[in-house]
Amino acid sequence: MANALILSGGSIRGAFQAGAIREVLKSGFKPDNIYGISVGSLNGTFLTYQAGKKIKAHQNLDWAQISDELINFWKQNIKKSDDVAVKRKVAELVGDIVNTSFRGLTSTDPIKNLIHNLFFKDKTPFQFAPNELTVGAVNMMTGGIEYANPASDLFEHYLVASTAIPLLMPIVSIPSPDDNGKIYPFTDGGIREVAPTRIAMGNPGNDKFVCICCQPTNLMLEKENFDYHSIFQMVERTLDILVDEVVENDIFRLTSKFPETVVIRPEVPIPLQLESFTSADIASTIELGAEQAKKALQGVNFNIV
C-alpha cells in the first residue's frame, strides 16, 4: 500500500503549503505518490527532483532534509512579486486587445526561467525519484483537466501551465500527441480541480492520504486590506470565491471514503497577494503553514502499519 501527498493550488500562498510539508515529512510521512495542482505542482516537483537527485548521488534519502530544502527554495527564490511575474506595460496590453492576442496581465518569464533552470537543464534526477509525481493543467479548448508526469516530453509545459493563473498570466500552448501536433491552450489546473483528490483516489494502491490546501476553511470572513480597485486582487479574489465550493467538494470526496485522511489548511484567508509581497511575508506564511500542520498532526502516527 502507498502514501499519497496531495498538494492544492494557491498561487503565492504555496509558501503556506511549504511550511506544512516540512512538518508532515518531519513527522515520518514518506510520500510514494505526489499529486499537485498549480503551486502544488511546483512544490511537488521540487520534492520529487530533490529526492531523485539524492538517490542519483547515492546519498541518504532524508525527506525531512528535503523539506528544509523546499523552505530554503522559497526563501531564496520567491522574495517579491517580480520573482514570479512582471506586470506588462499598458501599451503592450492595449496592443494585445487591439490585435486580439491577449497574453495575460503579466509576463511569467521569471517563474518559467526558474522552473527550467532548476529542473530541466538536467532532467535525469526525475528518473531516480523514489516516488511518482502527477501534475494537472486545464485544456481551455476541451474544458477538461489533463495530467502529466516527468516521463512525458511535455512535462515542463504542463508544469508551467499548471501554475498559470487565468487572466493574470499567459496561456501555455501545448501540442497534443494524439492530434498530429495540434496546439491546445492550457492554464491553471485549479479552475477544474483545486486539490487533485480524484486522481489520487483513482490509484488503488493509495491507502494513506495527506492533503495540504492553501484555501481556508472559512473563505467568507471579511478579507482585510482587499483593494477592489486593483485588477490583480480582483482576479485573485474572484477565483478564490469561484473555486471555494470546488475545493470543498475535492476534500469531501476524499475524506468521505478515507476518513483518516490528514487535511491541512488555513482557518482564515492567508493575507498574501501576488501583486505585492516581501520576503518577510513569505517567511511568516511558511510558519503559518507549519503551525497549522502541527495542529492537524496531533495524535497522528505515520509509522503505524
Side-chain angles (χ1 to χ4, degrees):
M1 305 306 282
N3 296 333
L5 178 60
I6 301 172
L7 305 174
S8 82
S11 182
I12 197 65
R13 288 162 292 188
F16 170 93
Q17 195 174 80
I21 288 171
R22 179 179 62 187
E23 298 306 317
V24 168
L25 297 186
K26 287 190 173 183
S27 73
F29 187 82
K30 296 177 175 60
D32 299 299
N33 296 298
I34 299 177
Y35 305 89
I37 292 290
S38 190
V39 74
S41 68
L42 177 60
N43 283 333
T45 298
F46 184 92
L47 295 174
T48 301
Y49 189 86
Q50 291 300 105
K53 192 174 179 181
K54 292 185 184 303
I55 292 177
K56 180 185 176 184
H58 304 288
Q59 297 176 0
N60 178 47
L61 178 60
D62 186 339
W63 283 108
Q65 180 184 2
I66 291 173
S67 71
D68 285 334
E69 292 169 357
L70 177 63
I71 298 298
N72 290 335
F73 161 77
W74 274 87
K75 289 184 175 180
Q76 293 172 8
N77 295 285
I78 314 293
K79 301 176 182 179
K80 58 186 185 303
S81 59
D82 284 357
D83 291 334
V84 179
V86 179
K87 290 182 181 179
R88 298 178 60 220
K89 297 178 180 179
V90 174
E92 289 183 283
L93 296 174
V94 172
D96 281 358
I97 293 172
V98 171
N99 296 313
T100 61
S101 58
F102 183 65
R103 295 170 293 164
L105 297 174
T106 66
S107 164
T108 52
D109 285 346
I111 193 66
K112 285 168 59 179
N113 292 336
L114 180 61
I115 286 173
H116 180 78
N117 291 335
L118 277 175
F119 309 128
F120 296 99
K121 281 190 171 182
D122 175 15
K123 297 188 290 185
T124 56
F126 286 122
Q127 301 172 17
F128 292 85
N131 62 282
E132 297 293 327
L133 170 67
T134 305
V135 306
V138 168
N139 183 327
M140 292 297 286
M141 291 292 287
T142 66
I145 188 167
E146 297 183 16
Y147 295 97
N149 60 56
S152 168
D153 292 336
L154 299 173
F155 180 68
E156 181 174 2
H157 298 284
Y158 277 94
L159 178 56
V160 172
S162 186
T163 62
I165 302 171
L167 298 179
L168 292 185
M169 298 178 176
I171 289 287
V172 177
S173 298
I174 301 179
S176 170
D178 300 325
D179 289 335
N180 298 318
K182 183 176 179 180
I183 304 297
Y184 284 103
F186 280 80
T187 191
D188 189 346
I191 63 174
R192 172 59 72 178
E193 193 169 6
V194 182
T197 58
R198 193 188 307 273
I199 191 169
M201 293 170 63
N203 183 337
N206 292 332
D207 67 333
K208 288 185 180 179
F209 298 84
V210 172
C211 181
I212 306 177
C213 289
C214 303
Q215 293 72 26
T217 54
N218 192 346
L219 177 71
M220 298 310 169
L221 292 176
E222 182 175 342
K223 187 173 178 65
E224 296 181 1
N225 302 321
F226 170 53
D227 181 5
Y228 55 86
H229 296 294
S230 164
I231 189 170
F232 286 84
Q233 293 191 33
M234 276 296 292
V235 170
E236 286 190 284
R237 182 60 172 168
T238 299
L239 289 174
D240 284 343
I241 294 171
L242 289 175
V243 304
D244 180 53
E245 186 173 348
V246 176
V247 73
E248 295 300 332
N249 290 337
D250 291 342
I251 294 173
F252 179 76
R253 180 190 305 122
L254 178 61
T255 55
S256 294
K257 187 172 182 179
F258 298 95
E260 295 185 358
T261 295
V262 176
V263 178
I264 303 168
R265 56 194 302 201
E267 296 173 355
V268 297
I270 299 171
L272 194 61
Q273 300 290 343
L274 177 61
E275 184 181 19
S276 177
F277 63 87
T278 66
S279 57
D281 294 329
I282 293 296
S284 63
T285 303
I286 288 170
E287 291 311 310
L288 177 63
E291 292 170 9
Q292 202 63 38
K294 288 176 182 177
K295 293 180 184 178
L297 292 169
Q298 287 180 357
V300 176
N301 187 350
F302 290 120
N303 297 315
I304 297 177
V305 179

